[in-house]
Amino acid sequence: MTRVLVTGAAGQIGSALVPALREAYGEAEVLATDLHPPAADTGPFAVLDCTDGRAVAAQVAAHRPTVVFHLAALLSAVGERKPQTAFEVNLGGLFTLLEVARESRFAVFTPSSIAAFGPSTPRDGTPQDTLQRPTTMYGVTKVAGELLCDYYHTRYGVDTRGVRYPGIISDSPPGGGTTDYAVEIFFAAVEEGRYTSFLKRGTQLDMMYMPDAVRAAMEVMEADPARLVHRNAFNVTAMQLTPERLGDAIRRHLPDFELDFDPDPLRQSIADSWPNRLDDSAAREEWDWRPQFDLDAMTDDLLRRIRERVGARR
């Protein structure tokens, strides 16, 4: 990668990926884009609607990227409230970008999600290649996006790659996903000493700490293409968590932390349709994927970061 463009750069993943890309490849080489400008000047930025083909083509012509990280999307819970918009942004935006990539010949990273699976998918050790029948608009757009990326690679030779992310935990505000509780719980623990989970006890989901999510995106784009059998939608994961496991990990640092439960029917139904554990052996075999953070290492690092952030605001 020499020149990079990022769509959806202000989102949870983008806000962490852009600094990592700039550290690796140089600030001037990485153009961040989103619907609205950032509150502060953080480097090269352009306002961009990823569903506007002419605007996308213009930014590509101006910046001349060799790879685009396409992160613009509506997440699962928001997508259920706005399914038509989710379809337009998640799938229409990807189609628009792939059409520009077909003409301009740049590589494309597209994140898929654990939401691409559904209740009929094998739940424990979900294979790389298996039945996918999601029950949310977000999941539908992710499955269609995986197939679309495969098509543009086999039909037009576009270098499309991607991963299926589990829930991502970070010190950035969540964006309306079903796994948001795993971010909110850390902020609530530091600021209030208690948290009410919108998922019920025992709800197990795959999770990953943001530094690993960023590494996965960068590493799959740098991988030797000769080794890639799947190219798109690699299962990746790091840990399997329930709200109680997170609560116990936090209590090792904050003994008085209290965890309550008030399940939200919509988000609980979405979580219940997803696998308990992904099998990421294909990513490990084809591009040497390995997570670096387990639950304890993540909790240590994240609580430190959030304490620093909260202290800076006070």
Side-chain angles (χ1 to χ4, degrees), residues 59-258:
Q59 288 297 341
V60 165
H63 187 63
R64 304 186 311 280
T66 55
V67 60
V68 171
F69 287 83
H70 180 55
L71 307 180
L74 267 67
L75 301 184
S76 57
V78 175
E80 288 306 283
R81 292 195 295 269
K82 302 177 180 180
Q84 295 82 8
T85 304
F87 182 90
E88 179 183 1
V89 174
N90 296 5
L91 201 53
L94 175 59
F95 179 75
T96 296
L97 181 67
L98 289 172
E99 273 293 286
V100 177
R102 179 172 66 86
E103 297 288 341
S104 300
R105 313 310 299 176
F106 52 82
V108 177
F109 171 86
T110 305
S112 187
S113 165
I114 193 173
F117 301 117
S120 54
T121 298
R123 295 184 62 81
D124 292 304
T126 303
Q128 174 68 36
D129 302 305
T130 189
L131 182 67
Q132 294 176 255
R133 300 286 292 178
T135 55
T136 64
M137 178 56 77
Y138 179 64
V140 168
T141 62
K142 287 304 180 182
V143 173
E146 292 178 11
L147 296 173
L148 198 58
C149 287
D150 283 341
Y151 177 81
Y152 269 77
H153 173 65
T154 57
R155 179 68 175 82
Y156 300 116
V158 178
D159 185 3
T160 55
R161 308 187 192 187
V163 300
R164 288 187 188 118
Y165 279 126
I168 298 177
I169 304 175
S170 73
D171 62 349
S172 299
T178 300
T179 57
D180 284 358
Y181 88 88
V183 178
E184 295 173 356
I185 192 172
F186 283 95
F187 281 92
V190 172
E191 296 179 316
E192 302 171 25
R194 65 182 305 132
Y195 178 67
T196 300
S197 171
F198 56 72
L199 295 183
K200 67 183 181 182
R201 294 179 184 273
T203 303
Q204 178 173 300
L205 292 170
D206 276 76
M207 297 282 182
M208 177 181 291
Y209 190 31
M210 181 61 80
D212 278 334
V214 167
R215 276 197 317 103
M218 295 174 66
E219 287 179 4
V220 75
M221 296 310 295
E222 293 173 339
D224 178 359
R227 294 180 59 192
L228 300 182
V229 176
H230 293 88
R231 300 192 66 90
N232 290 295
F234 284 96
N235 286 353
V236 290
T237 189
M239 58 193 96
Q240 290 73 45
L241 301 179
T242 63
E244 302 97 297
R245 284 197 69 199
L246 274 174
D248 290 343
I250 290 170
R251 284 191 199 95
R252 287 195 281 273
H253 298 262
L254 302 170
D256 295 330
F257 173 66
E258 297 181 17

Side-chain angles (χ1 to χ4, degrees), residues 273-289:
S273 74
W274 291 351
N276 295 326
R277 180 175 57 85
L278 298 177
D279 178 354
D280 61 1
S281 56
R284 292 172 181 266
E285 293 168 4
E286 295 177 37
W287 46 279
D288 303 321
W289 159 248

